[in-house]
Amino acid sequence: MDFIILSQRQLRRPLANVCRSCSRRLRPQLTRSYANTTTSNQPDIFDVVCVGGGPAGLSLLTALRANPTTAGLRIALVEAQDLRKIRAWKLPPDRFSNRCSSLTPASAAFLDRAGAWSHVRRERVQPYHEMQVWDGVSDARIEFEWDRTRDATAAATGGNGNGTKTIAYMTENLNLTSGLLSRLDELGGVEVFDGARVEGIELGEETEELDFREWPIVRLAGGKQLAARLLVGADGANSPVRTFAGIESRGWDYQRHGVVATLELEGQGWGGDAMKVAYQRFLPTGPVAMLPLPGNLSTLVWSTTPGNAAVLKSLSPPDFVALVNAAFRLSPVDLEFMHTLSTGQEEELEWRLQHTQFNRQAIPQTVVNVQEGTIASFPLKMRHADTYIGERVALVGDAAHTIHPLAGQGLNQGQGDAESLARTIEYAVSHGQDIGARMSLEPYNSERYGPNHVLLGVCDKLHKVYSVGSGPLVPLRSLGLNAINAMGPVKSFFMQQAAGNGIKLF
């Protein structure tokens, strides 16, 4: 390959036969060779600077480093946390973090292609093969399970080799993050600035040597400056990168909190380890879900009112366990009354179960304990950025969108963003394009914005429809749920979409 070496004086002059404005746009590309020779008062130059070391940001950087086409890019990661703690993260085999996520087979396949899936501690990952969802008011039910008689290729398509196919994998967020960090360390080539607070982001200035007027400059506490050909915001719902780019994020708060905890059940589930089942019941105050973890453990995600969440967090472990068991067994009226008690839920549940009929095998096994220190809550909201891209800026994960957890798709949306943006950057590099130019980033925005917007809307409407506790909407939604459950092809279509393996609709 031939190289053109230009002096600093030549870089400052408009190029021959090229207009002055175009020559200015070309300067950042010509100055890449100066990336490692900046002086102390100049920013350090990178092709990609990613702010945020969560699953979305780490997945993107891992995919870029694992791809031969993009492996030569100069990449920096900026993270406020001390990543040494995440690298050293380890819990006893019978203890699990309360922040878990559902990972679709499509997301797991993306991680596998990047070489990160093998770095995730698989003994702490639990695939599940069936999902039971029902209306807490009418008891209308839909059962998501793959047709075992037609699934002869389960092992090759994400199954566990016993004739069942995986709907999703439950994993702790920290397990995934530490696995991604392990893979990124193995690949090398990423300059990590962890424990680093971003003090500001602004466009650079023209100096004697270089013109940074169109480049984002990330200023870190301590004076370090990073110039980004492409600045990626993977920095959460309150994204400073999004604020810098002037991209609005619109939505609303649900006036609900998500209560999470790690639960211990009386057994390993009705189907044992070979057939793990996830459960979700829609209550007027919000859905309550119990999702399987290895052994006899499950993770709880209960969307409810802030008042109910405060009650749950104030209870003793036996009363908390009683209220969780009640959430899957008692009527919404009985459950509402139990939330008014400051104590005594255990005795109240024991008495009410004597007068309540239910199918034991259609609900989760009885919870017998909650792991100490795992009960917590967080506010629920819906947000969507107006666009995912700007000039030299791209947003991924929660910086671009925040979704209600009822479908368990938040993490998978971020993984889809990372995969799409990595593919977009690969195309730009292989075709000699400027990876930070808005035109180069447009395929990412086009591919991800529509599907994410639809999923956000569907989850928002489901939350609102099932928040109604009485009236004509209850029988109508129950009719729809029963109809979908009876229509095998339609139900299979929804399952394929949820697993990330369905046809692309947009």
Side-chain angles (χ1 to χ4, degrees):
M1 180 181 292
D2 295 329
F3 293 90
I4 299 176
I5 301 176
L6 300 179
S7 68
Q8 294 178 7
R9 186 179 299 276
Q10 287 174 306
L11 286 171
R12 297 268 303 161
R13 290 202 305 266
L15 300 178
N17 302 321
V18 181
C19 70
R20 184 176 183 83
S21 62
C22 290
S23 68
R24 289 187 183 279
R25 296 184 64 84
L26 288 171
R27 285 179 199 160
Q29 297 179 37
L30 294 171
T31 58
R32 279 186 62 187
S33 60
Y34 292 90
N36 294 314
T37 60
T38 54
T39 59
S40 59
N41 61 343
Q42 291 178 347
D44 204 356
I45 302 173
F46 291 90
D47 293 301
V48 179
V49 175
C50 179
V51 180
L58 291 177
S59 295
L60 170 65
L61 299 190
T62 302
L64 291 176
R65 290 293 303 140
N67 189 327
T69 303
T70 54
L73 296 175
R74 190 160 189 245
I75 299 173
L77 169 64
V78 178
E79 169 56 41
Q81 294 187 70
D82 185 352
L83 294 180
R84 290 176 300 179
K85 297 179 180 178
I86 298 179
R87 288 187 178 95
W89 174 81
K90 189 175 183 180
L91 286 176
D94 59 344
R95 292 280 302 179
F96 277 75
S97 167
N98 60 2
R99 295 306 298 268
C100 298
S101 295
S102 179
L103 201 65
T104 64
S107 295
F110 165 56
L111 292 171
D112 192 42
R113 288 192 296 272
W117 192 232
S118 61
H119 288 259
V120 176
R121 298 173 190 172
R122 301 298 295 276
E123 72 277 5
R124 301 185 69 87
V125 176
Q126 180 60 60
Y128 61 90
H129 319 98
E130 183 179 331
M131 189 165 187
Q132 299 278 341
V133 181
W134 71 101
D135 189 327
V137 176
S138 69
D139 282 336
R141 180 178 292 262
I142 186 168
E143 301 169 347
F144 292 106
E145 61 176 342
W146 298 108
D147 186 351
R148 281 169 258 169
T149 62
R150 291 184 297 135
D151 189 21
T153 59
T157 56
N160 62 356
N162 62 358
T164 58
K165 188 176 178 182
T166 298
I167 291 179
Y169 302 88
M170 288 305 302
T171 180
E172 298 154 291
N173 292 357
L174 286 172
N175 187 20
L176 177 58
T177 305
S178 64
L180 284 164
L181 279 173
S182 175
R183 173 57 174 160
L184 206 56
D185 291 341
E186 180 181 73
L187 291 167
V190 174
E191 293 195 37
V192 179
F193 302 90
D194 60 337
R197 181 170 57 88
V198 175
E199 286 194 338
I201 308 172
E202 63 272 322
L203 292 175
E205 300 175 350
E206 185 176 22
T207 68
E208 284 295 322
E209 293 83 11
L210 302 169
D211 184 359
F212 288 118
R213 289 178 298 175
E214 296 180 359
W215 283 44
I217 308 296
V218 180
R219 289 189 295 104
L220 306 181
K224 183 71 174 178
Q225 297 185 64
L226 312 178
R229 183 180 297 275
L230 172 61
L231 177 60
V232 177
D235 45 351
N238 300 315
S239 167
V241 173
R242 190 182 65 231
T243 301
F244 156 76
I247 299 173
E248 292 289 333
S249 181
R250 308 175 194 276
W252 43 81
D253 296 344
Y254 284 114
Q255 304 303 319
R256 294 290 188 272
H257 281 201
V259 178
V260 294
T262 303
L263 308 174
E264 298 177 11
L265 309 184
E266 63 181 358
Q268 296 193 7
W270 300 115
D273 194 54
M275 176 59 73
K276 290 285 190 174
V277 182
Y279 299 89
Q280 182 166 253
R281 187 189 189 197
F282 281 93
L283 299 166
T285 52
V288 54
M290 194 181 296
L291 304 155
L293 293 174
N296 68 327
L297 301 177
S298 284
T299 185
L300 172 75
V301 184
W302 189 346
S303 304
T304 188
T305 63
N308 286 352
V311 169
L312 284 163
K313 291 190 294 183
S314 69
L315 296 175
S316 66
D319 285 340
F320 178 87
V321 166
L323 206 46
V324 171
N325 284 323
F328 290 95
R329 292 162 174 79
L330 300 185
S331 70
V333 174
D334 288 343
L335 200 56
E336 183 179 1
F337 171 77
M338 291 186 67
H339 274 101
T340 64
L341 304 177
S342 59
T343 186
Q345 280 81 1
E346 187 175 21
E347 294 79 10
E348 186 69 25
L349 175 64
E350 184 179 352
W351 180 82
R352 289 182 181 271
L353 286 180
Q354 298 175 14
H355 309 278
T356 304
Q357 293 184 347
F358 55 87
N359 181 358
R360 283 174 52 83
Q361 304 234 349
I363 59 176
Q365 287 186 328
T366 303
V367 179
V368 296
N369 189 30
V370 55
Q371 292 193 351
E372 183 180 0
T374 63
I375 303 174
S377 68
F378 54 93
L380 304 182
K381 59 186 69 176
M382 193 276 279
R383 296 285 190 276
H384 203 196
D386 287 348
T387 179
Y388 296 170
I389 61 171
E391 193 65 28
R392 305 206 175 280
V393 171
L395 306 176
V396 296
D398 286 352
H401 42 71
T402 307
I403 192 171
H404 194 290
L406 66 86
Q409 291 298 311
L411 177 66
N412 296 298
Q413 282 187 304
Q415 293 298 296
D417 294 345
E419 182 176 13
S420 176
L421 183 55
R423 188 165 52 244
T424 300
I425 294 172
E426 177 192 10
Y427 181 89
V429 171
S430 63
H431 288 76
Q433 298 175 357
D434 181 353
I435 64 172
R438 190 183 186 106
M439 184 172 292
S440 299
L441 297 170
E442 189 59 46
Y444 162 63
N445 191 62
S446 300
E447 181 179 6
R448 293 301 299 164
Y449 196 92
N452 282 341
H453 191 74
V454 169
L455 186 55
L456 285 162
V458 168
C459 290
D460 181 63
K461 301 306 180 292
L462 282 174
H463 164 74
K464 291 174 179 175
V465 165
Y466 280 95
S467 293
V468 177
S470 60
L473 186 58
V474 174
L476 285 175
R477 75 191 184 200
S478 301
L479 178 65
L481 200 63
N482 288 329
I484 293 175
N485 194 44
M487 299 166 66
V490 175
K491 187 165 65 170
S492 178
F493 169 80
F494 284 123
M495 291 177 65
Q496 292 284 2
Q497 291 296 319
N501 298 321
I503 60 172
K504 287 190 175 182
L505 300 178
F506 300 91

